[in-house]
Amino acid sequence: MSDERPDPGTVRPGGRTAKVREAVLRAAGDALAEDGFDRLDLAEIARRAGVGKTTVYRRWGTVPGLVADLLTEMAEESVSRTETGSLLGDLTAQARLVQSTLSDSRQGPLFKALITAAACDPQTAEALQRFYRIRTEEWAPCVTAAIDRGEVPEGTDPTEVVRAVSAPLYYRLLIAGDPIDQPMADRTAKAAATAARGGAFTR
Amino acid sequence: MSDERPDPGTVRPGGRTAKVREAVLRAAGDALAEDGFDRLDLAEIARRAGVGKTTVYRRWGTVPGLVADLLTEMAEESVSRTETGSLLGDLTAQARLVQSTLSDSRQGPLFKALITAAACDPQTAEALQRFYRIRTEEWAPCVTAAIDRGEVPEGTDPTEVVRAVSAPLYYRLLIAGDPIDQPMADRTAKAAATAARGGAFTR
DNA sequence: TCATTAACGCAACTGGAGTCCCGTTATGAG
DNA sequence: CTCATAACGGGACTCCAGTTGCGTTAATGA
């Protein structure tokens, strides 16, 4: 098999190709947020993006493939992190950021759809894990700083602490279904900080 | 509209109808666990259940409709709860039960698929919320008991504590993707207990 | 600027999920 | 037991998501 050809869009990625990709990913995000993962139709996305449906099918093939590419794109744009000087302050800032994202009328449904897509397709799951690994690594230093200050015990796993802040918010989004407000986010941060100080996240 | 007819299966629910429902729900569970939500085909389920596909389409109509019915069935079967006498003990028992369920080769994928289905359909979401509300209410008394013992402060929300135990495990199942083992479950229980004792879940 | 060909877009085509029709089975009331 | 009809099953049919073929546009390198 010496005549293997590269993926479409990789040989001439400039100009039109880039514009098409941008338009399609934008349209895919909109459609995901509005209609959800299962009602997604690649032809509809093509129409929204002002692009031939053949192009979408040829370059991304399936819905999970397209979502995986969208996640890769999203992983690239980083969020700036605040540094308050205390673990509770930092975790509260993190919780509030997640809260405002998940309760946003576009981002909330979008993230729900992204997680849904990841649950259905290994390739998308990998992209989602990469996305959250990057986010987690961005927030981990505030736990490391707390260790250095002696606020939490040596051997505390920063990843676990950061996840403990987000997890209950995602639980509400995906399972419980009730609203994700700021008091809730603050309580989550407080719980994680308390548990961390008590040494619950040591290996 | 005086000629509105009842849902199929409600007028003559005995004998054959009940057998069909049982077989179809069983097949649906198997298919969900094996193939996941998005690859579900009602005709395939009918074949597995040894039932005409027309029957499945007529009684349940859509995939989410069938999943919602499966969840209603699952909500009925209750799990017995252990009482250890300490909050940490009770929460650890709860965490280990969730852990063993989510890491089971059939139940894990099944729950992932159920949550996925709920994210795509309001009717299924309601059924899922009912299912977890029942489970939460079953576990809440162990927090109430801890309040009575003076182990955690007055005003602690039992629901929040119980959710805090499960949430990180579901986070792993749906987002992080890494294995859900018993040490992990124990850490989660310890974190929830520590946070509860520290008054993080008071309203 | 020009040639090469990657990438796009249109329109016709295909396969299979979901629907419909109608004959058969068997439930439950009298 | 008998009857009316709820519920089931097989198979034909429909409709549209996804594919294919081919002509057109434009990215890239010389």
Side-chain angles (χ1 to χ4, degrees):
Chain A
M1 318 314 182
S2 55
D3 62 343
E4 52 191 64
R5 63 192 52 243
D7 289 337
T10 53
V11 179
R12 288 181 186 176
R16 182 168 58 165
T17 300
K19 274 192 164 56
V20 165
R21 182 172 122 105
E22 195 182 353
V24 169
L25 291 187
R26 173 78 205 170
D30 290 347
L32 273 180
E34 286 170 30
D35 303 334
F37 167 72
D38 64 325
R39 284 172 208 171
L40 218 54
D41 170 18
L42 294 192
E44 162 70 12
I45 289 177
R47 208 184 51 71
R48 277 179 191 250
V51 155
K53 76 167 179 168
T54 317
T55 301
V56 177
Y57 278 106
R58 194 164 21 220
R59 273 186 68 182
W60 290 279
T62 62
V63 171
L66 177 55
V67 176
D69 194 28
L70 177 62
L71 273 165
T72 307
E73 173 97 346
M74 287 175 68
E76 250 134 70
E77 44 197 65
S78 175
V79 196
S80 62
R81 188 170 49 80
T82 48
E83 189 88 53
T84 65
S86 81
L87 180 64
L88 181 58
D90 290 350
L91 294 186
T92 302
Q94 187 210 329
R96 287 186 178 179
L97 183 68
V98 175
Q99 181 267 321
S100 65
T101 303
L102 297 189
S103 57
D104 178 77
S105 63
R106 179 187 144 90
Q107 305 255 25
L110 175 59
F111 273 81
K112 197 191 256 194
L114 291 172
I115 294 164
T116 303
C120 296
D121 176 73
Q123 186 196 350
T124 312
E126 208 180 319
L128 186 76
Q129 285 161 28
R130 216 170 17 244
F131 176 82
Y132 279 104
R133 202 177 312 125
I134 292 170
R135 289 294 157 100
T136 304
E137 278 164 11
E138 271 169 2
W139 284 100
C142 78
V143 180
T144 316
I147 297 172
D148 293 343
R149 284 194 302 267
E151 210 182 331
V152 301
E154 206 79 25
T156 296
D157 185 348
T159 302
E160 288 294 305
V161 178
V162 171
R163 280 183 181 174
V165 172
S166 304
L169 302 173
Y170 281 95
Y171 186 92
R172 292 207 158 210
L173 178 74
L174 298 165
I175 296 171
D178 34 39
I180 306 167
D181 51 20
Q182 205 172 83
M184 161 72 202
D186 291 354
R187 248 181 294 142
T188 299
K190 193 177 163 196
T194 306
R197 278 195 294 259
F201 297 116
T202 50
R203 264 175 294 243
Chain B
M1 320 304 183
S2 55
D3 63 345
E4 52 191 61
R5 63 192 52 247
D7 289 339
T10 54
V11 179
R12 288 180 185 175
R16 185 168 56 168
T17 301
K19 275 192 162 57
V20 165
R21 176 165 186 255
E22 197 183 351
V24 170
L25 291 187
R26 174 76 204 173
D30 290 346
L32 273 179
E34 285 170 31
D35 304 335
F37 167 72
D38 64 324
R39 282 170 210 172
L40 218 54
D41 169 19
L42 294 192
E44 163 70 11
I45 289 177
R47 209 186 48 72
R48 277 179 190 251
V51 155
K53 77 167 178 170
T54 317
T55 300
V56 177
Y57 278 106
R58 194 164 24 218
R59 275 185 68 181
W60 291 278
T62 63
V63 172
L66 178 55
V67 176
D69 195 27
L70 177 62
L71 274 165
T72 307
E73 173 96 347
M74 288 174 67
E76 251 133 70
E77 44 198 65
S78 174
V79 196
S80 62
R81 186 170 50 79
T82 48
E83 190 89 53
T84 64
S86 80
L87 181 64
L88 180 60
D90 291 350
L91 295 185
T92 302
Q94 188 209 328
R96 286 186 178 179
L97 183 67
V98 175
Q99 181 269 321
S100 65
T101 303
L102 297 189
S103 57
D104 178 79
S105 62
R106 179 188 144 92
Q107 306 256 22
L110 174 59
F111 273 80
K112 197 191 253 193
L114 291 172
I115 294 164
T116 303
C120 295
D121 176 73
Q123 186 195 351
T124 311
E126 209 181 316
L128 186 77
Q129 285 162 29
R130 220 176 7 248
F131 176 81
Y132 279 103
R133 202 178 312 125
I134 291 171
R135 290 295 156 101
T136 305
E137 280 163 9
E138 270 170 2
W139 285 100
C142 79
V143 180
T144 316
I147 297 173
D148 293 343
R149 285 194 301 266
E151 212 181 331
V152 301
E154 205 81 24
T156 296
D157 185 348
T159 302
E160 287 296 304
V161 178
V162 170
R163 280 183 182 172
V165 173
S166 304
L169 302 174
Y170 280 94
Y171 187 93
R172 291 206 159 208
L173 178 74
L174 298 165
I175 296 171
D178 34 40
I180 306 167
D181 52 20
Q182 204 172 81
M184 162 69 202
D186 291 353
R187 248 181 293 142
T188 299
K190 192 178 164 194
T194 306
R197 278 195 291 260
F201 296 116
T202 49
R203 262 176 294 241

